[in-house]
Amino acid sequence: MTQTAPASTAIPRTPRQAGRVHRAWFVAAVAFVTIIGAAAFASLPGLLIEPLHQEFDWSRGTIGFAISVNLALYGLTAPFAAALMDRFGIRRVVALALLVISGGSVATVWMTAAWQLVLFWGVLVGLGSGSMALAFAATVTNRWFTARRGLVTGILTAAGASGQLVFLPLLSWLVEHHGWRPAAVTVSLAALAVAPFVWLLLRDHPADVGLAPYGGTYADKPAPVPGAARRAVTVLLKAARTGPFWLLAGTFAICGASTNGLVKTHFVPAAHDHGMPVTAAAGLLAVIGVFDVVGTVASGWFTDRFEARRLLAVYYALRGVSLLFLPMLLAPSVQPPMIFFIVFYGLDWVATVPPTIALCREHYGEDGAIVFGWVLASHQVGAAVVAFLGGLARDVFGSYDVVWYASGALCAMAALMSMVIRRRPAPAATVVPAGA
């Protein structure tokens, strides 16, 4: 017995690195594919506005409200999902979330009233997608990686854009030729197909397979953390007493308003207002997804090397300038200036995520993933507000122009707010990766 016990404790503590790819990269690959499969739900809302308006005679404001509920719950669920992952494990939370997304999406096929759209797409898909939010990427990165965290965060963030690239052309073709119901079923099947993949292949912690995190030293798997909801609220109350939290939450709210709330939700109907076919407009959004992958991975690489707050300021400033020019570029056909906008905007789409996660980690240490969940909640609240107001503005003014200009001005404000975030002293920052 005296020989067996030391051997069992010594073996797991020896990181297995030589001559093989670290298991962390396989876990990141599983997370990447999972986020791609779940991204179908994020591709559909902008394609639903016109078909639902025509079939049910619901106003764009009403449809926008259902989408805003989805976006708000997507964000508000994220911090609780991060805490639930600490309590029950990543695998269980994500698999259940995918099943909820699948059920909510397929239920819309039988809806006949606007409140059902709010319930099925707004509430159910919103809750499920919130557990598949970027807090999932942050949790995987924090647990499995000590080195290359910025790069991995960029890659996992880009997975959502890759899913958009995969699903947008297909869903827009289905909506155009077969109606919105087959598109909703496709979203349901995509989420359902990924759930077994998560359950069989994803692992919660490096210690589950006797490994150290990539670039780090071995540590025993922490005990499950009880009181997930209480912890999420406690972390919020603690972070809310600090200035960086409010600056990060404010800038990320503007990020959500200018991306998911505005462009992802209203670009297709706005382009269609100018005579552009729905499939062409959806194709442009898919191209944004192509360049989003490049921009987000590059942003992760930059975040490992440059000051995160300065990166944020540059990203928001460039995004604001591009949005101010967009109303002049919309036309019945795709012209070279529009292509330039799509490329430029795509590179910037979620490039803000890696430096935002890095700042949460820098200022809040082991609570960084939960703090980022709350920051992400502000992102989605911003998106929800603009998703609703964008549709309302279209109903009132007959145009989206005022929304484009207002979003450009907000991005300029976000750039200034980013520069106000103070750097955390270096000695405290070096403690964070050790998870002490």
Side-chain angles (χ1 to χ4, degrees), residues 175-369:
V175 170
E176 188 86 356
H177 294 88
H178 301 284
W180 62 270
R181 287 179 176 82
V185 172
T186 300
V187 170
S188 175
L189 292 177
L192 190 63
V194 176
F197 186 72
V198 169
W199 187 257
L200 295 174
L201 299 179
L202 195 64
R203 292 295 177 265
D204 291 330
H205 197 277
D208 289 340
V209 289
L211 287 173
Y214 179 81
T217 56
Y218 181 86
D220 291 327
K221 182 177 180 179
V225 181
R230 188 188 319 115
R231 185 185 176 206
V233 174
T234 300
V235 169
L236 170 63
L237 294 176
K238 182 180 176 182
R241 293 196 292 267
T242 66
F245 173 79
W246 293 106
L247 290 169
L248 288 168
T251 56
F252 224 43
I254 294 172
C255 179
S258 57
T259 53
N260 291 359
L262 182 60
V263 175
K264 183 171 283 188
T265 303
H266 293 293
F267 178 81
V268 171
H272 189 60
D273 283 347
H274 288 76
M276 185 180 294
V278 170
T279 50
L284 290 176
L285 274 186
V287 174
I288 285 179
V290 175
F291 288 95
D292 181 22
V293 174
V294 177
T296 307
V297 174
S299 178
W301 187 86
F302 290 144
T303 302
D304 286 331
R305 290 161 176 80
F306 301 103
E307 192 177 342
R309 67 192 187 103
R310 296 184 184 276
L311 290 175
L312 284 180
V314 171
Y315 297 155
Y316 285 122
L318 293 176
R319 182 185 300 176
V321 171
S322 66
L323 286 172
L324 292 176
F325 280 97
L326 180 58
M328 296 177 279
L329 305 179
L330 293 169
S333 59
V334 180
Q335 302 296 326
M338 174 59 78
I339 295 175
F340 179 80
F341 167 83
I342 292 297
V343 172
F344 187 87
Y345 192 84
L347 290 171
D348 199 318
W349 179 273
V350 286
T352 56
V353 172
T356 301
I357 290 179
L359 287 168
C360 289
R361 188 185 303 124
E362 175 185 325
H363 285 275
Y364 304 105
E366 62 184 9
D367 290 330

Side-chain angles (χ1 to χ4, degrees), residues 1 12 76 105 114 130 134 149 151 158 171 219 225 237 249 256-257 259 283 348 384:
M1 286 183 56
L76 293 171
S105 182
L134 292 171
R149 280 177 167 175
L151 176 63
L171 294 177
V225 181
L237 294 176
T259 53
D348 199 318

Side-chain angles (χ1 to χ4, degrees), residues 9 37 157 196 231 416:
T9 56
T157 303
R231 185 185 176 206
L416 295 175

Side-chain angles (χ1 to χ4, degrees), residues 47-105:
L47 303 176
L48 289 176
I49 294 177
E50 287 301 321
L52 294 180
H53 173 68
Q54 293 175 8
E55 178 171 339
F56 297 106
D57 199 29
W58 298 336
S59 71
R60 293 174 180 85
T62 298
I63 301 168
F65 174 74
I67 296 173
S68 73
V69 171
N70 175 289
L71 293 171
L73 287 177
Y74 176 99
L76 293 171
T77 305
F80 296 97
L84 285 171
M85 289 176 193
D86 287 341
R87 175 67 178 88
F88 298 105
I90 300 173
R91 186 171 59 164
R92 293 178 180 176
V93 173
V94 173
L96 179 60
L98 288 166
L99 295 179
V100 173
I101 291 171
S102 178
S105 182

Side-chain angles (χ1 to χ4, degrees), residues 79-135:
F80 296 97
L84 285 171
M85 289 176 193
D86 287 341
R87 175 67 178 88
F88 298 105
I90 300 173
R91 186 171 59 164
R92 293 178 180 176
V93 173
V94 173
L96 179 60
L98 288 166
L99 295 179
V100 173
I101 291 171
S102 178
S105 182
V106 76
T108 61
V109 171
W110 295 285
M111 67 182 179
T112 56
W115 68 265
Q116 294 169 332
L117 177 65
V118 174
L119 174 62
F120 298 147
W121 193 264
V123 176
L124 292 181
V125 177
L127 289 173
S129 60
S131 301
M132 283 295 306
L134 292 171

